[in-house]
Amino acid sequence: MLLRLALSKAPSSCQLLAKSSKLNLSLVRNYARGPVRPPRNPVIVERAPVRSQPTLKEKLMGPPSANAFSLGKGAAAGAAAVGLGALCYYGIGMGKHTSIADNAIMWPQYVKERIQSTYAFFGGSCLLTAASAAAVFRSPRLLSLASRGGFVWTLASFALVIGSGAVTRSIQYEKGLGPKHLAWAVHCALLGAMIAPLCFLGGPILTRAALYTGGIAGGLSTIATCAPNDKFLYMGGPLAIGLGLVFASSLASMWLPPTTMLGAGLASMSLYGGLILFSGFLLYDTQLLVRRAEVYPEYAYAPFDPINASMSIYMDVLNIFIRIATIMGLNHRK
């Protein structure tokens, strides 16, 4: 049995012969083919370089995303919601402390006259600025001068406006026409010349921007009047810090256009951040105006100065108008 099993497992002679013949045939074929030589011009396959992650500088200087101004718009919408809530809260008399509207009942006549004259000069400042902007826009030579760009010209314009404002504030106020009224008119005219290029946006956009600015200024003034009379007087420090940030972003946006991610972020901070900032300044300056009108003595060496009191509110409203007009112009282009 074991022998048969071994014979059955062992290969037969025929099988061995077949295997040997196949092996010899494969050797002959390989010898006939000869050695395989490499081609004379080998094809080198280059691998595509693996792209690394962009650096922080490449991200900041790259093109902005489609929602580059979304953060600024969200902040402005949030500030508007807070302002509307404050208007409703203080408007229905839910504040626990006395407000400016409550104290107005006990004001003497000279306090009322001070506030009325201050807002009269504020209205006159707006009219002078609008008339100056329209006159400069109609003059090609003056318009080209006002539209001139460049770092040196921008600094010169800022120095001219700030210097005229400082001169106006330094002159003592006197009733009737005097040098202070002339300096005030020149200051307003210079500001109108600076914003004259905004007239390129068109009359409809500027009209809507003026209406929106009036609505915002009226709403904020109502909040300042209905709120406790010292509610917003503690905002001076944070507002000063915010003013520095907005001013720095406005200057930096001169070198970084909004076509880059960093430039778009700076432009958003200058536009929407400035809109929120000067709205806060309007609340602060309104209550500061009323406080000064109340505490300034009736009989003093120098009379109460309504021009200086109106200039702060005027600058707040003017900055709000410039930013609203710019935002509307950008949305109209899209």
Side-chain angles (χ1 to χ4, degrees), residues 107-122:
W107 279 348
Q109 185 62 29
Y110 68 89
V111 175
K112 297 179 180 179
E113 291 177 356
R114 290 172 178 176
I115 296 177
Q116 290 174 359
S117 60
T118 299
Y119 278 99
F121 278 107
F122 164 72

Side-chain angles (χ1 to χ4, degrees), residues 82-136:
V82 172
L84 184 60
L87 180 62
C88 296
Y89 179 80
Y90 293 118
I92 60 179
M94 295 184 66
K96 297 181 181 180
H97 302 281
T98 58
S99 63
I100 294 176
D102 298 330
N103 295 335
I105 302 175
M106 300 178 291
W107 279 348
Q109 185 62 29
Y110 68 89
V111 175
K112 297 179 180 179
E113 291 177 356
R114 290 172 178 176
I115 296 177
Q116 290 174 359
S117 60
T118 299
Y119 278 99
F121 278 107
F122 164 72
S125 300
C126 296
L127 292 177
L128 283 174
T129 303
S132 174
V136 171

Side-chain angles (χ1 to χ4, degrees), residues 73-191:
K73 292 179 181 179
V82 172
L84 184 60
L87 180 62
C88 296
Y89 179 80
Y90 293 118
I92 60 179
M94 295 184 66
K96 297 181 181 180
H97 302 281
T98 58
S99 63
I100 294 176
D102 298 330
N103 295 335
I105 302 175
M106 300 178 291
W107 279 348
Q109 185 62 29
Y110 68 89
V111 175
K112 297 179 180 179
E113 291 177 356
R114 290 172 178 176
I115 296 177
Q116 290 174 359
S117 60
T118 299
Y119 278 99
F121 278 107
F122 164 72
S125 300
C126 296
L127 292 177
L128 283 174
T129 303
S132 174
V136 171
F137 183 73
R138 293 180 179 179
S139 174
R141 181 174 298 180
L142 294 177
L143 183 61
S144 63
L145 188 63
S147 305
R148 183 180 300 177
F151 179 71
V152 177
W153 178 252
T154 303
L155 287 183
S157 302
F158 276 117
L160 188 61
V161 171
I162 294 174
S164 63
V167 170
T168 303
R169 290 179 179 274
S170 64
I171 301 175
Q172 184 175 347
Y173 175 77
E174 297 177 359
K175 293 184 178 180
L177 296 178
K180 190 176 185 67
H181 294 77
L182 179 60
W184 163 72
V186 171
H187 176 65
C188 295
L190 288 175
L191 286 171

Side-chain angles (χ1 to χ4, degrees), residues 17-326:
L17 183 60
K19 289 182 178 181
S20 62
S21 62
K22 291 180 179 180
L23 182 60
N24 294 331
L25 184 59
S26 62
L27 290 174
V28 172
R29 289 178 178 176
N30 291 334
Y31 180 78
R33 290 175 182 174
V36 179
R37 297 179 181 178
R40 295 182 178 179
N41 297 323
V43 179
I44 301 175
V45 180
E46 295 182 357
R47 294 183 178 180
V50 180
R51 182 174 178 81
S52 59
Q53 294 294 332
T55 61
L56 180 60
K57 182 179 179 180
E58 292 177 352
K59 290 181 180 179
L60 294 177
M61 300 306 296
S65 61
N67 299 323
F69 293 90
S70 297
L71 183 60
K73 292 179 181 179
V82 172
L84 184 60
L87 180 62
C88 296
Y89 179 80
Y90 293 118
I92 60 179
M94 295 184 66
K96 297 181 181 180
H97 302 281
T98 58
S99 63
I100 294 176
D102 298 330
N103 295 335
I105 302 175
M106 300 178 291
W107 279 348
Q109 185 62 29
Y110 68 89
V111 175
K112 297 179 180 179
E113 291 177 356
R114 290 172 178 176
I115 296 177
Q116 290 174 359
S117 60
T118 299
Y119 278 99
F121 278 107
F122 164 72
S125 300
C126 296
L127 292 177
L128 283 174
T129 303
S132 174
V136 171
F137 183 73
R138 293 180 179 179
S139 174
R141 181 174 298 180
L142 294 177
L143 183 61
S144 63
L145 188 63
S147 305
R148 183 180 300 177
F151 179 71
V152 177
W153 178 252
T154 303
L155 287 183
S157 302
F158 276 117
L160 188 61
V161 171
I162 294 174
S164 63
V167 170
T168 303
R169 290 179 179 274
S170 64
I171 301 175
Q172 184 175 347
Y173 175 77
E174 297 177 359
K175 293 184 178 180
L177 296 178
K180 190 176 185 67
H181 294 77
L182 179 60
W184 163 72
V186 171
H187 176 65
C188 295
L190 288 175
L191 286 171
M194 285 191 64
I195 67 171
L198 285 177
C199 297
F200 284 111
L201 297 175
I205 293 180
L206 293 180
T207 303
R208 289 169 55 194
L211 292 176
Y212 292 163
T213 303
I216 292 174
L220 293 174
S221 300
T222 304
I223 293 174
T225 304
C226 297
N229 53 3
D230 58 348
K231 181 70 175 178
F232 304 109
L233 293 179
Y234 304 100
M235 297 169 55
L239 289 174
I241 297 174
L243 180 62
L245 293 175
V246 171
F247 183 73
S249 63
S250 300
L251 287 180
S253 61
M254 295 172 56
W255 290 278
L256 295 172
T259 54
T260 61
M261 183 177 179
L262 182 58
L266 292 173
S268 177
M269 182 181 296
S270 177
L271 285 177
Y272 296 98
L275 181 60
I276 298 172
L277 176 70
F278 288 105
S279 298
F281 264 116
L282 186 58
L283 293 172
Y284 172 80
D285 290 331
T286 300
Q287 290 199 341
L288 185 61
L289 158 66
V290 175
R291 174 63 61 87
R292 288 177 176 175
E294 290 176 340
V295 301
Y296 197 84
E298 183 179 5
Y299 301 101
Y301 175 75
F304 178 79
D305 195 339
I307 294 181
N308 287 357
S310 67
M311 289 178 66
S312 299
I313 300 175
Y314 161 67
M315 291 301 299
D316 298 337
V317 175
L318 182 62
N319 279 281
I320 291 174
F321 169 75
I322 291 173
R323 280 158 176 81
I324 290 179
T326 305

